Amino acid sequence: MGDLGGGPPSLRAGDRVAVVAPSYPAEPERLERGCAVLRSLGLEVIVGKHAFDRAPSGLTYLAGSDDDRAADLQEAWCDPAISAVFCARGGYGAARVLDHLDWDTMARATPKILHGSSDITALHVAFGRRLGVPTSFGPMVVSTLADEEPDTIAHLREALFGAGVTVRGSHAPRGGRARGTLTGGNLALLTSLLGTPHAPEPATGRIAFLEDVNEAPYRVDRMLTQLLQAGWLEGVAGIVLGTWIGCGDLDAVFADRLVPLGVPILAGIPVGHGPGQHTIRLGAEVELDADARVLGPGTGGGAARLSHSGEETP
């Protein structure tokens, strides 16, 4: 694994990676198909010993006990032979492991890539805040990589083995340009962490990424309102919206809740749920050009918001 000038780490052919299940249990057949995709990228893959576990009756939506799921994650993160930790799938359960991790021990480990999406937002937030490391938000081993979509795999390869990639959106609810550190994740998970010891740091001066799945417009409105009232979006430099599969028409919700913030907003990037998922790096510097409908790797220079003319604004 290489470090790109102090930026997010990148993988190299031959690196060993671990696949763990901090949330829902992994289906063996789909896990193997997803692992085969990782091997096709030139990676050596090991699987956490509790990935196929199920919790006792009534909690079978969890891949075994909180202690065991946390142990697999911590062991992989602290193993110097492991260059990246891939989460098998989402569902529910990642937030439950946060209180079972030895953060002091994990902070002493060599930083590496944590990759996952959806429920794994809980880990993205905690790893960013407690360990100060960038993380990789993208398709998971069981839920998406197992479908073996060429575009998804190609984008993942570029994201993991390079310095970051460009993603394109479909439209811009509000134009403009901005740069800053990318933050955020799944909307439901972000709001669920507010008021806890694991709450996400405010998006002040940053580019906020949001996505979700199967949430009615009024529930998306409610969660955005919670982020606004909690002050999480105060001073945000720009907003990027991913996929909202099963959420209905959200144009009016975004226009009412987000456009009044007066910052560039890019919508429709293929990151979150559903087919054709791309990969982004949370905690990395990015540049947002809503007019060109592009989110790309940053080139440095801080987190100032840029106007249409390209002049920095306070």
Side-chain angles (χ1 to χ4, degrees), residues 69-88:
R69 300 197 319 283
D72 274 4
L73 174 59
Q74 182 166 320
E75 181 178 348
W77 184 260
C78 294
D79 186 343
I82 299 296
S83 297
V85 180
F86 287 80
C87 296

Side-chain angles (χ1 to χ4, degrees), residues 60-301:
T60 53
Y61 47 81
L62 299 173
S65 71
D66 294 341
D67 282 335
D68 287 342
R69 300 197 319 283
D72 274 4
L73 174 59
Q74 182 166 320
E75 181 178 348
W77 184 260
C78 294
D79 186 343
I82 299 296
S83 297
V85 180
F86 287 80
C87 296
R89 61 166 302 168
Y92 170 73
R96 292 180 52 138
V97 309
L98 298 180
D99 294 326
H100 296 261
L101 295 168
D102 184 337
W103 292 103
D104 290 336
T105 297
M106 294 177 68
R108 292 193 292 270
T110 300
K112 59 196 64 175
I113 294 172
L114 173 77
H115 180 86
S117 56
S118 192
D119 188 59
I120 307 306
T121 294
L123 300 182
H124 288 297
V125 169
F127 276 55
R129 184 158 193 172
R130 290 177 176 267
L131 304 181
V133 298
T135 55
S136 178
F137 192 103
M140 286 187 284
V141 179
V142 169
S143 56
T144 308
L145 289 185
D147 294 330
E148 302 173 326
E149 296 177 347
D151 179 59
T152 293
I153 296 171
H155 198 273
L156 177 66
R157 180 197 299 272
E158 188 178 356
L160 293 177
F161 288 79
V165 291
T166 295
V167 292
R168 297 187 177 276
S170 60
H171 60 288
R174 191 176 191 280
R177 294 181 292 144
R179 63 173 180 256
T181 302
L182 190 63
T183 189
N186 179 269
L187 177 60
L189 265 295
L190 291 172
T191 56
S192 74
L193 292 171
L194 293 175
T196 75
H198 312 292
E201 292 182 305
T204 305
R206 304 180 183 185
I207 308 295
F209 162 72
L210 300 171
E211 65 84 28
D212 219 314
V213 62
N214 296 332
E215 296 284 0
Y218 80 90
R219 293 201 295 265
V220 173
D221 184 312
R222 181 178 63 200
M223 290 186 283
L224 291 176
T225 298
Q226 187 175 356
L227 290 184
L228 290 165
Q229 292 178 341
W232 189 78
L233 285 166
E234 185 173 351
V236 67
I239 297 172
V240 180
L241 302 171
T243 60
W244 300 84
I245 292 175
C247 296
D249 185 352
L250 295 174
D251 287 349
V253 175
F254 295 146
D256 182 78
R257 298 282 75 193
L258 299 180
V259 170
L261 292 173
V263 300
I265 302 175
L266 175 64
I269 71 167
V271 180
H273 290 81
Q277 288 186 36
H278 287 187
T279 300
I280 56 177
R281 284 180 167 176
L282 300 176
E285 291 296 308
V286 296
E287 294 193 0
L288 166 63
D289 188 337
D291 298 319
R293 302 178 185 177
V294 170
L295 177 73
T299 56

